[in-house]
Amino acid sequence: MESIVAFAFAVNIIQVVVWGQQTASFCLRVYRDEEIDPALSETIKNFRTATQSLQNSLSQDRISTEERGLLEIAQKCGHVADKLLKEVGQVNTSHKKRYLFKAYFKSSFKSSSIKKLKEELAVCQAALETQQLLDLRRRHDLTAIKLDGGFGNLGEDIKNLIRGLESGEIRLAEILMTQHEVTRRLEDITLGVTNFQHTWDNRAVLASLFFPELLHRTESIETTHPKTYEWAVKTPEELSGSNHFRTPSWPNLHQWLEGQGGTYWVCGKPGAGKSTFMKYVIEHTSTKRAIASWSGSADSIIASYFFWSQGVALQKSIEGLLRTILFQILETRPALIAFCGLDSAVGIFAWTKDRLLHSLESIISQANVPIALCLFVDGLDESMDDQKDVIKLVRQVSSHPNVKCVVSSRPLRVLRTAFGSCPQIHLQDLTAKDIDEYASSKLKEIDYPVPMTWNQKSELINGITSKADGVFLWVSLATASILAGITNGDSFDELQSRIEELPSELNDLYSKILSSIELR
């Protein structure tokens, strides 16, 4: 399990335990003659959200053998949380009369059940403490560390933590919030590094930036179909010799990543595949090589954020963008935490948009650890914040000579005005061959109940690609409709009619598909 994934699991478990125990405590108070806490409904809402986040994490099979214990704790915690949520049911604290609210609880469940589930959550917490403690002990000889000459040069907080780890007298929050930094410092001692002047605990800073949905949008984007978007990561010379583009007529993205700064705009219609395109480019090794070439002797860093209008606030806001980018930068380059300008009088957990932006600007501007930062920001048009504020942020950050931004969006007027003069591509104009590859893979190799010639299959594919107008989502939906017709045993003429009857606009196509489902 990657460190960020293991950290997400641990944070999810903590949130479920904390909100679950608080929910149970509030509910149990109803049985005593105390005032009903007005925060109960919000607490249950947070508990439900944390539980759903944990279940989402559990649904993704990314667990290594070494982290199997953490997975088992997460599964146990999720199971207990589900039972507790069923017990509390649809709680409504808006009853003006307190006795009605108490009557609801007493008629719905027993206090003993709530107490038992609260105790089970405490067991999950203890198991997580033990698992994290054993993990640190397994990787480090703590007694030998104490005897090492470098131990005396550590800060008192770290020395006390190491003593606590050795004796077992340390709690869950301390372990999770400091594990990353302690591990790094223990390794530094082993290497003979004894000069520690870090004021802030790296793990605590990362934990304050992290939110459970940080990875959800990126991971939900499907990977590209084989052979699609390959043109995006090729040099002009490679493209000139290919059958895809004899004479490329747009600013080459790979060339821009290697040599230019500022902003590159990926513009596309709704459904054109902008998010998939961005994910493909971010993850491609050619992109990493291009950024490394541009950065020269500076340390090259790639960070990304995907605005998502259907997500929670931090998945579609400037604050979420800044927290995500800072988390990615500092998670891979913890030494940069020293340049965040954190104020001990305020505390690292009091993040605001201004403080986040100040920290990012400080990291970019400092000269002690030279960096070259390439940011990929997808879906500018899906932000809940004012578009002008998003544009201002992109311009401000990309104005630094050691920063460049690749942004994507629909061609809204305000975005055309802002980025119209930047190097850009219009995605739907460049994906004809990609769409043909996709449709061919879906329609040419399947078994047709009604025999068809190769030319007839090609005609069906051409009919789809010519009508798609570069919109990948339309192709996906249209291909699914044709496959349904093939399964039904439709003839070639019937399949052609089906393609002709498909609406060209996405919304109309959705409506047609939904109406056909209702008719069946």
Side-chain angles (χ1 to χ4, degrees):
M1 181 189 290
E2 296 177 358
S3 60
I4 186 174
V5 179
F7 181 46
F9 259 105
V11 170
N12 281 171
I13 297 170
I14 290 174
Q15 290 180 321
V16 171
V17 168
V18 171
W19 289 118
Q21 290 185 327
Q22 195 168 343
T23 296
S25 296
F26 283 166
C27 292
L28 289 171
R29 288 176 192 171
V30 178
Y31 284 87
R32 301 190 296 267
D33 292 329
E34 298 180 12
E35 291 298 321
I36 297 168
D37 197 309
L40 176 56
S41 289
E42 186 65 23
T43 299
I44 293 176
K45 178 182 176 182
N46 290 332
F47 179 40
R48 200 181 303 277
T49 300
T51 301
Q52 184 59 55
S53 178
L54 180 61
Q55 299 295 1
N56 290 342
S57 297
L58 287 171
S59 67
Q60 299 171 24
D61 186 18
R62 299 174 296 153
I63 312 301
S64 66
T65 304
E66 292 76 17
E67 300 289 351
R68 188 61 57 183
L70 187 58
L71 173 62
E72 291 173 359
I73 296 169
Q75 289 173 331
K76 170 66 175 176
C77 188
H79 179 65
V80 175
D82 283 341
K83 289 197 292 186
L84 181 55
L85 284 171
K86 288 179 182 177
E87 285 288 337
V88 299
Q90 300 297 319
V91 173
N92 180 6
T93 59
S94 63
H95 292 298
K96 293 183 179 179
K97 295 187 177 180
R98 182 170 166 275
Y99 73 87
L100 291 176
F101 187 60
K102 286 187 66 174
Y104 167 82
F105 273 89
K106 291 192 175 184
S107 64
S108 299
F109 51 77
K110 298 179 180 179
S111 61
S112 58
S113 300
I114 300 295
K115 288 179 181 177
K116 182 180 178 182
L117 291 171
K118 185 179 180 183
E119 290 170 357
E120 290 183 24
L121 285 174
V123 170
C124 291
Q125 176 175 331
L128 182 58
E129 290 176 357
T130 302
Q131 195 273 340
Q132 297 291 302
L133 179 58
L134 289 175
D135 182 62
L136 276 173
R137 284 176 166 177
R138 174 175 56 82
R139 288 185 280 115
H140 302 284
D141 185 344
L142 298 174
T143 301
I145 292 295
K146 282 179 60 181
L147 297 175
D148 189 277
F151 183 80
N153 295 313
L154 292 171
E156 283 302 315
D157 57 333
I158 298 300
K159 286 193 284 188
N160 289 335
L161 186 60
I162 293 172
R163 294 186 188 107
L165 288 170
E166 185 185 28
S167 65
E169 296 175 355
I170 192 167
R171 304 303 296 168
L172 173 66
E174 295 173 272
I175 295 172
L176 288 172
M177 299 296 279
T178 57
Q179 180 178 343
H180 182 273
E181 177 65 0
V182 170
T183 299
R184 189 184 66 77
R185 295 192 187 190
L186 295 181
E187 290 168 350
D188 282 346
I189 292 177
T190 304
L191 294 172
V193 179
T194 59
N195 183 23
F196 295 98
Q197 299 177 344
H198 298 275
T199 303
W200 293 99
D201 186 294
N202 292 6
R203 190 69 168 183
V205 175
L206 290 173
S208 69
L209 292 167
F210 183 83
F211 55 97
E213 299 81 12
L214 188 143
L215 293 174
H216 288 181
R217 175 55 178 159
T218 308
E219 293 175 345
S220 69
I221 299 169
E222 292 185 8
T223 55
T224 56
H225 188 76
K227 297 184 179 181
T228 57
Y229 294 141
E230 290 181 348
W231 51 269
V233 294
K234 290 184 176 181
T235 65
E237 293 74 24
E238 291 171 330
L239 286 172
S240 64
S242 71
N243 293 325
H244 196 161
F245 298 107
R246 290 293 185 185
T247 308
S249 56
W250 71 93
N252 184 270
L253 177 56
H254 185 277
Q255 191 175 53
W256 181 86
L257 290 171
E258 276 189 321
Q260 293 177 270
T263 302
Y264 192 104
W265 185 30
V266 178
C267 176
K269 295 179 178 180
K274 297 182 291 296
S275 297
T276 305
F277 175 87
M278 291 285 277
K279 183 177 180 179
Y280 174 82
V281 173
I282 292 167
E283 295 178 349
H284 203 279
T285 55
S286 178
T287 299
K288 295 176 176 61
R289 288 195 299 268
I291 299 301
S293 175
W294 163 68
S295 66
S297 59
D299 189 6
S300 62
I301 302 174
I302 297 175
S304 62
Y305 180 78
F306 289 75
F307 280 104
W308 190 33
S309 61
Q310 299 176 50
V312 300
L314 289 176
Q315 292 177 292
K316 54 184 176 183
S317 64
I318 291 174
E319 181 184 348
L321 182 155
L322 291 170
R323 283 177 63 167
T324 300
I325 288 172
L326 273 174
F327 183 91
Q328 291 176 6
I329 293 172
L330 300 179
E331 204 267 340
T332 57
R333 307 292 193 282
L336 294 174
I337 289 176
F339 306 104
C340 283
L342 298 174
D343 185 354
S344 58
V346 177
I348 60 176
F349 302 106
W351 288 114
T352 62
K353 280 196 291 188
D354 287 342
R355 291 191 73 218
L356 289 163
L357 181 56
H358 174 72
S359 291
L360 180 60
E361 288 275 357
S362 298
I363 289 171
I364 292 170
S365 302
Q366 58 80 31
N368 293 12
V369 183
I371 66 168
L373 176 63
C374 181
L375 299 179
F376 289 83
V377 184
D378 176 63
L380 300 185
D381 52 293
E382 296 195 45
S383 171
M384 63 183 280
D385 294 315
D386 192 303
Q387 293 290 332
K388 293 179 180 178
D389 292 334
V390 178
I391 293 167
K392 179 182 177 182
L393 175 63
V394 172
R395 284 176 169 170
Q396 180 177 344
V397 173
S398 62
S399 66
H400 292 272
N402 60 330
V403 179
K404 60 172 62 184
C405 296
V406 181
V407 299
S408 74
S409 73
R410 290 181 294 156
L412 301 184
R413 177 179 296 179
V414 65
L415 295 168
R416 292 201 310 269
T417 301
F419 303 117
S421 60
C422 296
Q424 61 190 266
I425 58 171
H426 295 261
L427 198 55
Q428 67 275 0
D429 296 339
L430 303 172
T431 53
K433 189 174 185 298
D434 297 324
I435 286 174
D436 184 74
E437 289 276 4
Y438 175 83
S440 296
S441 69
K442 295 292 183 181
L443 298 179
K444 277 191 175 181
E445 303 302 328
I446 66 170
D447 294 326
Y448 285 71
V450 177
M452 290 189 194
T453 66
W454 190 260
N455 287 337
Q456 287 176 321
K457 293 179 184 180
S458 296
E459 281 190 52
L460 293 176
I461 294 167
N462 291 336
I464 290 175
T465 54
S466 61
K467 198 168 184 177
D469 197 22
V471 179
F472 247 111
L473 182 54
W474 189 95
V475 175
S476 178
L477 295 171
T479 302
S481 176
I482 299 305
L483 288 172
I486 292 170
T487 303
N488 292 335
D490 290 359
S491 66
F492 172 71
D493 290 337
E494 288 172 324
L495 292 174
Q496 276 195 317
S497 297
R498 189 182 272 254
I499 293 173
E500 291 170 1
E501 292 169 5
L502 290 174
S504 299
E505 296 297 323
L506 269 179
N507 288 339
D508 295 336
L509 181 55
Y510 273 123
S511 298
K512 181 176 177 62
I513 292 172
L514 288 174
S515 62
S516 67
I517 292 173
E518 292 170 0
L519 288 173
R520 291 198 292 272

